[in-house]
Amino acid sequence: MPETTPRGLTGLAFGGDYNPEQWPESLWQEDVRLMREAGVTLVSVGIFSWALLEPSPGVYDFGWLDRNLDLLHENGIRVDLGTPTVVPPAWFYRAHPDALPVTAGGVRLEFGSRGAICHSNAAYRAAAANITTRLAERYGDHPALAMWHVHNEYGVPVSACYCDSCAAHFRRWLATAYGTVDAVNEAWGTAFWGQRYAGFDEINPPRLTATVGNPAQALDYRRFADATMRENFTAERDILHRLSPGVPVTTNFMTALSQCDSVDYWAWGREVDLVTNDHYLITDGRRTHVNLAMAADLTRSVAGGAPWLLLEHSTSGVNWQPRNPAKAPGQMARNSLAHVARGSDGAMFFQWRQSRRGAEKFHSAMLPHGGTGTRVWREVVELGASVDSLSALRGTRTEADVAVLWDWQSWWAQTLDWRPSEDHDARERADAFYEALYDGHLTVDFAHPEADLSAYPLVVVPALYLMTRAAGDNLRSYVENGGTLVVSYFSGIVDEHDAVHEGPYPGALRDVLGLTVEEFSPLLAGERVRLTGPGGAELGADVWTEFVVPRGAETVWAYADGLTAGHPAVTRNRLGTGTAWYVSTRLGNEGIGTLLDRVVEDARIAPRAGLPRDVEVVRRTGESGTFLFAINHTGTDVKVPLDASGTELLTGERAAGRLTVPAGAVRVVRLDG
């Protein structure tokens, strides 16, 4: 079995992307001196260096990398060594212009940024395998090597190419997946609009068409594009496993729903030795720390609950959003340790030294343009000491209270054209339900719809338009055996081929929810409806309503106005020893919170009393003990109740009864016993 932790690290990882090739070699000694001052233990090297390592076809220059890795090793700094296959050199594209990707509209992109790759291109695949082999042969047993880092952020900025090479590859993929063209015709429903194919050679990628194309074909092409990128990753991974045994291989994910929508991370999580992730705050006016917590929980879930590693985030502002504010004093540490609380065995940044040239010269770094006299540098040094003090929790696992079901393929299907309302957004519903659970101080695991859910007292389904029969059966079994389920609208509607399940909506979920839906009734922009419920309590909703017919379920809230007035809006169905709730409209944050107050009673989850809003309390446990993280995102000091005494690791103080957490600060208590 491959190793799953960075080789040679005894504590948590701390550091970031290091790009020595951007700087005179005379600065390298200063770099490692300052790295030691900051407590850096791991750096990522070589990710964008193909043109320097192979300056012309078959001509290699490894001298600079030899010297840099040796210098890092001499100073006790471990290396996450990249394969630079995200940036083929200019000479490669001159020889193979067909390796540049083509858009659905037939435009071939140009060389000059990063990630401009047709992943089906045979010349690219051969060149990527060659440079990976050369690196593995040279550095596979280098004493500084902690792990391998393949490519960079697959799926960003290009995941799908629509060229003729991809068309041929797509046909082969379909032949393997379906066996016969008749099976493709059946799966895609090509009888509609006369799209039937007589042979695989008639099938092309879903290029630009006169009007909306075949949705099942478009969905399969997203699967194909994702699988093709994954083929290239596993090809490099297998070379590294063969030539550098015992060293874990990863690639950096971007699991946040705000950052990447083209990768099925459930599938990718099974292929890497160690799950790693990049996360950047999206400054769109939302509570950025909630998005951070959600991304960290999702990453841990992709890792199967095992520790993972935050491979990139920012010390302060980024440079690629319309507006890029700096992080407030203390926010960098708070962000970093929030990832650690939710399962990361370290905190890494992009990048070590802020670039003077190129597209990311205004992206913050550990060592800013202003040098060591800056606030950012002082906070980096302080954070390095904090991360070092938390070494004992390495390898422990984060404890979760509830599960949220999520499926990237369902998200892809829901975003295809011609759905009942463009205002319904799967990501928005996932964000909204997650935020309500966060505000209830519940730690979330994400799970695939067909996963074993028996460990969770509560399972939430915020948006699963596509649901297989197996997933529907899984949820029925979960409820029958005592689980509590909450399902939001427009879930369970189609199968894996985007075909509506036979019979009334919500096909795969009819039985478990104890109801049918006769008709969707989306609302116009700006329209709202009222719901009345227990004791006359009212809730507000928008975007979506339905004509729900109970088939055993009881009505908890009903529509008070609108076209669906008098019909059930929120229902509860007893099945076996469990209960299943259905929400047929888009509740706001307050409404979801009110709903969850009722639902957690069914799930017999004890309320988290005495915790203010925007204060996180998360636990990690393992052989080395139980560690309680208290993270205060507010501007006032708070007191967090403790159910056991312990030692606060960042200050060394004893804690018992109630733990004081200063405004904007983090405290980590190693509990006694």
Side-chain angles (χ1 to χ4, degrees), residues 529-530 545-547 558-568:
V529 293
R530 292 180 301 113
T545 63
E546 295 178 345
F547 290 94
Y559 292 108
D561 51 22
L563 192 62
T564 55
H567 289 266

Side-chain angles (χ1 to χ4, degrees), residues 558-607:
Y559 292 108
D561 51 22
L563 192 62
T564 55
H567 289 266
V570 178
T571 62
R572 178 176 180 267
N573 187 47
R574 298 177 185 271
L575 184 66
T577 56
T579 55
W581 293 72
Y582 183 59
V583 185
S584 66
T585 186
R586 192 176 84 161
L587 297 176
N589 287 353
E590 183 178 348
I592 296 174
T594 300
L595 169 71
L596 290 179
D597 286 343
R598 294 285 306 275
V599 168
V600 295
E601 293 179 12
D602 276 357
R604 295 178 291 279
I605 297 174

Side-chain angles (χ1 to χ4, degrees), residues 174 178 180-197 203 212-220 495-500:
L174 290 171
Y178 289 101
T180 67
V181 73
D182 287 341
V184 174
N185 284 316
E186 174 65 22
W188 290 2
T190 56
F192 185 80
W193 280 359
Q195 296 172 348
R196 184 180 180 278
Y197 298 102
I203 300 175
V212 173
N214 187 313
Q217 178 188 17
L219 177 58
D220 263 350
D495 67 12
E496 59 269 34
H497 302 298
D498 197 46
V500 174

Side-chain angles (χ1 to χ4, degrees), residues 260-602:
C260 183
D261 65 356
S262 59
V263 175
D264 180 357
Y265 285 116
W266 293 126
W268 283 77
R270 295 189 292 268
E271 301 296 345
V272 296
D273 300 332
L274 168 67
V275 167
T276 61
N277 195 53
D278 298 351
H279 182 267
Y280 294 97
L281 301 182
I282 303 299
T283 53
D284 58 0
R286 306 187 193 198
R287 297 156 71 199
T288 56
H289 55 278
V290 180
N291 176 274
L292 184 158
M294 183 177 179
D297 284 344
L298 191 48
T299 307
R300 182 186 68 253
S301 302
V302 167
W308 54 280
L309 180 58
L310 175 66
L311 210 52
E312 288 184 27
H313 72 313
S314 65
T315 57
S316 192
V318 298
N319 72 310
W320 39 263
Q321 299 183 83
R323 287 159 290 279
N324 299 285
K327 290 186 177 180
Q331 187 180 1
M332 175 181 64
R334 196 164 63 249
N335 289 166
S336 301
L337 297 180
H339 284 289
V340 174
R342 295 177 185 272
S344 176
D345 268 2
M348 306 275 285
F349 295 93
F350 182 85
Q351 58 181 323
W352 163 250
R353 184 185 283 270
Q354 194 168 14
S355 299
R356 289 186 57 227
R357 298 176 174 85
E360 294 185 291
K361 56 183 170 288
F362 298 117
H363 190 296
S364 61
M366 300 176 77
L367 182 59
H369 291 310
T372 58
T374 58
R375 171 180 67 88
V376 166
W377 172 255
R378 290 190 293 272
E379 290 193 18
V380 164
V381 173
E382 183 178 347
L383 177 60
S386 295
V387 169
D388 182 61
S389 71
L390 300 179
S391 295
L393 60 81
R394 181 172 181 261
T396 59
R397 294 188 172 218
T398 301
E399 297 179 351
D401 302 298
V402 301
V404 170
L405 299 195
W406 180 256
D407 181 17
W408 279 273
Q409 296 193 24
S410 176
W411 190 19
W412 299 343
Q414 190 180 299
T415 58
L416 297 172
D417 292 322
W418 288 9
R419 297 306 187 241
S421 173
E422 67 177 13
D423 295 326
H424 172 51
D425 180 348
R427 178 199 156 191
E428 183 278 331
R429 283 293 80 187
D431 285 346
F433 273 89
Y434 182 90
E435 186 169 1
L437 293 165
Y438 178 97
D439 286 341
H441 303 285
L442 298 173
T443 303
V444 171
D445 274 349
F446 286 84
H448 187 275
E450 296 179 16
D452 180 7
L453 304 171
S454 59
Y456 303 102
L458 173 62
V459 170
V460 177
V461 181
L464 279 177
Y465 160 76
L466 182 155
M467 184 176 288
T468 63
R469 281 291 178 191
D473 292 344
N474 188 41
L475 292 182
R476 179 188 176 104
S477 175
Y478 166 76
V479 173
E480 286 178 331
N481 287 287
T484 299
L485 177 70
V486 180
V487 177
S488 187
Y489 67 92
F490 207 42
S491 293
I493 305 302
V494 299
D495 67 12
E496 59 269 34
H497 302 298
D498 197 46
V500 174
H501 286 288
E502 290 186 10
Y505 308 131
L509 291 169
R510 284 193 303 263
D511 293 343
V512 69
L513 296 176
L515 55 81
T516 58
V517 174
E518 287 191 352
E519 192 175 4
F520 306 134
S521 185
L523 301 177
L524 298 179
E527 281 191 304
R528 293 186 61 80
V529 293
R530 292 180 301 113
L531 282 57
T532 56
E538 287 195 356
L539 301 177
D542 63 2
V543 170
W544 191 279
T545 63
E546 295 178 345
F547 290 94
V548 174
V549 179
R551 309 287 184 184
E554 61 177 297
T555 299
V556 182
W557 274 275
Y559 292 108
D561 51 22
L563 192 62
T564 55
H567 289 266
V570 178
T571 62
R572 178 176 180 267
N573 187 47
R574 298 177 185 271
L575 184 66
T577 56
T579 55
W581 293 72
Y582 183 59
V583 185
S584 66
T585 186
R586 192 176 84 161
L587 297 176
N589 287 353
E590 183 178 348
I592 296 174
T594 300
L595 169 71
L596 290 179
D597 286 343
R598 294 285 306 275
V599 168
V600 295
E601 293 179 12
D602 276 357

